[in-house]
């Protein structure tokens, strides 16, 4: 029989040592494995299989199994791992040769006994299908799991069970979802989901999966509230109120961290380093920035946090943000970028955590300028969520179907980041200025504008309005925290002419105003049931400190006065949180000693004012971390960044090492958080 007649029948063959050996049908639908007898000497033979990916998608791992005539044996093999059960032999890739792109091949071989015409493999299967590639792809999904139910629960776990699904080939596993996100995988009919928070309601579903990857529809939802009394789930933040810094890694920051490391308590360091990812044309820079932040954070013992500023398109324009939110092509670009930074950071950090502060100002502008048209209902506000699926970050029919609304968009972003960053923690940023009812100089000044008690109520009402809108927008979906900032600039960089009369300043807060700020944070925590991360809190301090400086930082033993010029400006944030004693006079003394809150940590002795540390009060308000360092380039720098002012070396902070000294002192006895 000649080659032409066989080919005409739609089959190709080759002649090896006088033996016809099947080589696969023309136009095989899937990967194939072809056997070739290299040599046969009667008492033995040498054989080789070539695995070829004739499909259109990458093969990730292969397994070839076949039978030899009874009494056969294989003495040696190479380029695959062999197991034997009687006359059935199985060969699995070595790992390095297991991934085959379309068109690629991999080979393995073996020596067997005896030889002869009958020494030919039979019943060959490649990854469970016929080796000739003729087995049709399995596109039939299993049936939906029935009778999903909770069988037990604790403060931190929920146990589930369900009835078996059926499938045309066979069910391989069951995927368990918590609030729409993958939680665990089970091969049987039970599973336990751990790492849950006490007294929290979760919704679970189960989907069956077959060997071809087909997923069933979701089971009926099972709603379970965990018990009271257990500890919070561990993992995403330390057991103490942690501190982070804005972090633009370069060789100057490397030298800085090497210099300050010896003064940290053993095993301690700044916990988080955060970096901005701006939208618009700067999306093209995201991958490089992700590589730099994750790599340098890991090297210096920090956890990387990305501040995703995408929807504004690298502008501060509400109309640009709204337009981008309605553009499926722009949403496509953003979600494609998010997938890239997520996988890039995960590849570098491995099992280490990666954090995200999401979309500063976006929800604030939407509430302030657009929500009223839609009855303040985020589920009615349009958004081009479909672009997330076009990007490949989400897959239609596999991932949840998030609607084209603001709520759908928020949930889709949270879900996509969790999907592509297995060890992610994330939260959306809310704004002090978004809701109505604040005086012209900001909501924290309400006690000055409306009286102390009425002002405090105004702050609570404003925070609740922010939180209620955010809750409807889905910020709690798969999120660990909610965030608020102060301002992107130290107070006296914004208003340097008011340094002598801080009561007229918007951002140079006294002790009362900081307590108002914590009241706002506490209300967010109570309304959203999420801990709070303070972000973009300035590092500047009030001049006149009586503290001494380590001489390795300042040889005089004194911290330099901040002149309230570029990158060297006062703010009261570090003074309030770390605590300090400082001297003041005139209008400054009067302003910084005001105490309508009757705060016992504020004391005065002549011209010396003492504010005690307020980390304990921050923790009581629900704050678990404070990320410090304002975002504007002219702000005071507690950690060096590129383009330091010429008055300061490139590898030194611009505040005279005050902030890092106070961080080091705090880490000797950090405040616990629950």
């Amino acid at each position: 029989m000649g080659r032409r007649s066989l080919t005409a029948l739609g089959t190709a063959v080759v002649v090896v040592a006088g033996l016809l050996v099947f080589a696969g049908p023309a136009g095989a639908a899937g990967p194939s494995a072809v056997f070739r007898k290299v040599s046969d000497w009667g008492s033995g033979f040498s054989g080789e299989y070539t695995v070829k990916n004739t499909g259109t998608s990458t093969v990730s791992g292969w397994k070839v199994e076949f039978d030899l005539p009874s009494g056969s044996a294989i003495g040696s093999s190479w380029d695959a791992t062999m197991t034997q059960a009687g006359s059935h032999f199985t060969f699995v890739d070595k790992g390095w040769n297991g991934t085959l792109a379309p068109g690629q091949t991999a080979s393995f071989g073996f020596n067997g006994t005896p030889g002869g015409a009958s020494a030919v493999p039979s019943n060959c299967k490649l990854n469970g299908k016929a080796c000739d590639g003729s087995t049709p792809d399995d596109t039939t999904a299993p049936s939906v799991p029935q009778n999903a139910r909770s069988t037990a629960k604790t403060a931190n776990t929920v146990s589930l069970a369900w009835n078996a699904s059926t499938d045309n080939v066979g069910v391989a596993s069951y995927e368990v979802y918590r609030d729409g996100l993958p939680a665990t995988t089970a091969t049987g009919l039970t599973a336990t989901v751990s790492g849950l928070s006490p007294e929290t309601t979760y919704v679970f579903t189960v989907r069956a999966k077959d060997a071809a990857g087909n997923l069933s529809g979701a089971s009926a939802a099972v709603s379970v509230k965990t018990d009271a009394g257990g500890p919070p789930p561990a993992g995403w933040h330390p057991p103490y109120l942690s501190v982070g810094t804005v972090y633009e890694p370069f060789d100057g920051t490397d030298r800085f961290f090497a210099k300050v490391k010896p003064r940290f308590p053993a095993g301690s360091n700044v916990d988080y380093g955060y970096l901005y990812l701006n939208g618009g044309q700067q999306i093209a820079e995201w991958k490089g920035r992700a590589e730099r932040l994750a790599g340098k954070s890991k090297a210096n013992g920090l956890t990387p946090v990305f501040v995703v500023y995408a929807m504004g398109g690298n502008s501060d324009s509400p109309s640009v943000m709204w337009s981008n939110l309605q553009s499926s092509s722009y949403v496509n670009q953003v979600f494609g970028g998010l997938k890239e930074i997520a996988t890039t950071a995960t590849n570098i950090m491995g099992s280490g955590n990666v954090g995200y502060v999401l979309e500063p100002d976006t929800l604030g502008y939407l509430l302030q300028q657009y929500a009223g048209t839609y009855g303040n209902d985020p589920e009615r506000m349009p958004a081009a969520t479909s672009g997330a699926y076009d990007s490949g970050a989400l897959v239609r029919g596999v991932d949840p179907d998030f609607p084209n609304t603001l709520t759908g968009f928020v949930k889709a972003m949270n879900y996509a980041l969790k999907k592509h960053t297995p060890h992610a923690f994330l939260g959306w940023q809310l704004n002090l200025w978004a809701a109505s009812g604040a005086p012209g100089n900001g909501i924290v000044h309400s006690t000055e504008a409306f009286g102390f008690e009425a002002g405090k109520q105004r702050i609570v009402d404003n925070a609740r309005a922010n939180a209620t809108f955010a809750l409807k927008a889905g910020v709690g979906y798969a999120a660990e925290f909610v965030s608020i900032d102060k301002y992107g600039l130290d107070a006296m960089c914004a208003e340097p002419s008011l340094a002598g009369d801080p009561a007229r300043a918007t951002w140079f807060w006294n002790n009362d105003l900081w307590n108002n700020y914590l009241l706002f944070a506490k209300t967010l925590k109570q309304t959203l049931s999420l801990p709070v991360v303070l972000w973009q809190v300035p590092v500047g301090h009030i001049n006149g400190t009586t503290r001494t400086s380590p001489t390795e930082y300042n040889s005089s033993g004194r911290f330099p006065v901040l002149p309230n010029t570029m990158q060297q400006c006062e703010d009261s944030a570090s003074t309030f949180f770390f605590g300090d004693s400082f001297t003041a006079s005139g209008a400054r003394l009067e302003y910084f000693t005001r105490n309508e809150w009757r705060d016992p940590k504020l004391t005065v002795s002549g011209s010396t004012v003492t504010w005690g540390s307020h980390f304990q009060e921050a923790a009581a308000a629900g704050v678990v971390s404070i990320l410090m360092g304002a975002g504007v380039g002219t702000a005071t720098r507690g950690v060096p960044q590129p383009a330091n002012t010429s008055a300061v070396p490139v590898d030194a902070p611009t505040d005279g090492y005050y902030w890092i000294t106070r961080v080091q002192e705090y880490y000797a006895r950090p405040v616990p958080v629950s």
Side-chain angles (χ1 to χ4, degrees):
M1 184 179 292
R3 180 184 299 271
R4 178 174 299 176
S5 61
L6 287 175
T7 304
L9 294 174
T11 305
V13 298
V14 295
V15 178
V16 180
L19 178 67
L20 290 175
V21 182
F22 182 82
S32 62
V34 177
F35 175 73
R36 180 172 75 97
K37 184 178 280 189
V38 179
S39 60
D40 191 319
W41 53 93
S43 60
F45 70 97
S46 181
E48 179 185 74
Y49 264 99
T50 298
V51 179
K52 183 175 182 178
N53 183 3
T54 54
T56 58
S57 59
T58 299
V59 172
S60 299
W62 47 262
K63 179 177 73 173
V64 175
E65 50 188 320
F66 54 82
D67 296 322
L68 287 174
S70 178
S72 298
I74 291 179
S76 61
S77 63
W78 50 93
D79 295 337
T81 301
M82 187 193 79
T83 57
Q84 178 182 357
S87 58
H88 187 78
F89 298 86
T90 301
F91 289 82
V92 178
D93 67 82
K94 287 282 193 179
W96 55 267
N97 59 353
T99 300
L100 302 178
Q104 287 188 327
T105 62
S107 298
F108 68 91
F110 53 88
N111 292 325
T113 58
S118 64
V120 179
S122 61
N123 303 320
C124 180
K125 291 184 178 181
L126 169 61
N127 289 346
K129 300 180 181 181
C131 282
D132 62 7
S134 63
T135 304
D137 288 338
D138 176 16
T139 59
T140 303
S143 64
V144 174
Q146 299 296 313
N147 194 26
R149 58 204 182 272
S150 172
T151 56
K153 64 188 177 92
T154 69
N156 303 113
T157 65
V158 169
S159 296
L160 303 164
W162 54 89
N163 294 353
S165 296
T166 59
D167 186 66
N168 63 317
V169 176
V171 175
S173 62
Y174 293 89
E175 303 294 324
V176 179
Y177 293 78
R178 185 197 80 189
D179 295 333
L181 288 169
T184 189
T185 299
T187 55
L189 301 178
T190 62
T192 296
V193 180
S194 58
L196 307 178
S197 296
E199 293 188 277
T200 302
T201 299
Y202 297 95
V203 176
F204 301 93
T205 55
V206 183
R207 302 176 75 179
K209 185 177 183 180
D210 63 20
N214 299 308
L215 278 171
S216 75
S219 69
V222 180
S223 180
V224 184
K225 184 175 182 179
T226 51
D227 295 337
W236 79 267
H237 69 79
Y240 52 85
L241 201 160
S242 53
V243 178
T245 177
V246 64
Y247 185 29
E248 285 271 3
F250 75 117
D251 54 357
T253 52
D254 290 344
R255 294 193 296 272
F256 170 79
F257 279 116
K259 177 176 181 175
V260 302
K261 184 177 180 180
R263 289 195 58 85
F264 271 97
S268 296
N269 195 2
V270 177
D271 283 290
Y272 301 110
Y274 69 90
L275 183 66
Y276 300 88
L277 298 176
N278 294 323
Q281 294 182 345
Q282 292 191 21
I283 293 176
E285 303 173 4
W286 283 9
K287 186 174 188 293
R289 291 175 74 79
E291 290 173 338
R292 191 162 69 252
L293 178 65
K296 290 295 187 180
S297 293
K298 187 174 184 179
N300 287 309
L302 283 70
T303 295
V305 176
F306 296 98
V307 179
V308 180
Y309 245 125
M311 298 312 295
N314 197 28
S315 75
D316 195 30
S317 168
S319 61
V320 171
M321 179 275 301
W322 179 251
S323 176
N324 286 339
L325 189 64
Q326 313 310 317
S327 168
S328 59
S329 62
Y330 189 79
V331 172
N332 179 334
Q333 185 182 11
V334 168
F335 273 76
L338 292 177
K339 178 182 177 182
E340 187 170 49
I341 64 168
T343 54
T344 298
T346 297
N347 287 340
I348 294 171
M349 296 301 296
S351 60
N353 289 338
V354 178
Y356 300 94
V357 174
L358 296 178
E359 292 301 325
D361 301 342
T362 293
L363 292 180
Y365 280 138
L366 290 172
L367 174 59
Q368 185 186 68
Q369 301 198 26
Y370 296 94
T373 304
Y374 302 92
N376 285 337
D377 186 355
E379 295 184 354
R380 292 175 52 197
M381 299 176 71
T385 312
S386 59
Y389 298 87
D390 299 333
S391 72
L394 300 180
V395 179
R396 291 183 175 89
V398 176
D399 296 314
D401 185 14
F402 297 106
N404 286 315
T405 64
L406 175 59
T407 301
F409 176 84
V410 169
K411 291 183 176 181
M413 184 172 285
N414 290 8
Y415 178 92
L417 287 169
K418 288 295 187 72
K419 175 182 177 181
H420 297 292
T421 322
H423 301 283
F425 59 96
L426 59 83
W428 281 70
Q429 189 248 0
L430 308 184
N431 296 97
L432 296 171
W433 45 260
S436 61
N441 53 354
I443 190 64
V444 299
H445 289 273
S446 292
T447 52
E448 297 171 339
F450 305 110
F452 185 61
E453 294 300 331
K456 287 197 300 181
Q457 188 60 51
R458 185 70 64 105
I459 292 167
V460 169
D461 292 343
N462 188 282
R464 284 177 180 163
N466 273 279
T468 299
F469 179 79
L471 190 62
K472 290 180 180 178
V475 298
Y477 178 79
E480 282 70 34
F481 64 89
V482 66
S483 177
I484 53 170
D485 68 344
K486 187 203 175 200
Y487 180 54
L489 196 60
D490 296 78
M492 289 297 98
C493 283
E495 302 167 295
S497 64
L498 299 179
D501 190 6
R504 295 172 53 211
T506 299
W507 298 106
F508 207 1
W509 295 351
N510 62 16
N511 196 78
D512 280 337
L513 299 186
W514 278 109
N515 278 304
N516 289 350
Y517 181 69
L518 291 184
L519 175 61
F520 190 98
K522 181 179 180 179
T523 307
L524 293 182
K525 168 65 167 61
Q526 293 172 338
T527 308
L528 291 165
S529 297
L530 288 172
V532 178
V533 171
L534 305 182
W535 163 75
Q536 203 170 245
V537 175
V539 301
H541 61 277
I542 299 173
N543 278 334
T545 178
T546 62
R547 305 189 75 84
T548 58
S549 166
T551 54
E552 56 262 56
Y553 296 158
N554 293 287
S555 59
S556 66
R558 298 178 62 84
F559 292 107
V561 172
L562 296 173
N564 292 325
T565 57
M566 180 177 177
Q567 297 178 3
Q568 296 178 293
C569 303
E570 289 180 279
D571 197 280
S572 53
S574 287
T575 305
F576 179 78
F577 286 111
F578 294 108
D580 199 0
S581 293
F582 57 94
T583 58
S585 61
R588 285 172 66 100
L589 179 63
E590 188 279 328
Y591 178 69
F592 289 129
T593 57
R594 293 180 186 177
N595 193 7
E596 286 193 282
W597 274 87
R598 300 183 184 276
D599 187 343
K601 291 188 173 181
L602 191 161
T603 59
V604 187
S605 178
S607 62
T608 300
V609 183
T610 298
W611 290 3
S613 169
H614 285 80
F615 278 104
Q616 187 69 55
E617 288 70 20
V623 176
V624 295
S625 185
I626 304 177
L627 307 182
M628 303 185 73
V632 178
T634 57
T636 307
R637 299 176 174 187
V639 171
Q641 298 177 43
N644 264 7
T645 173
S646 59
V648 178
V650 295
D651 56 359
T654 64
D655 71 338
Y657 290 89
Y658 179 92
W659 180 81
I660 195 67
T661 300
R662 305 311 313 280
V663 173
Q664 291 168 331
E665 293 169 350
Y666 167 70
Y667 271 82
R669 295 184 64 184
V671 172
V673 293
S674 59

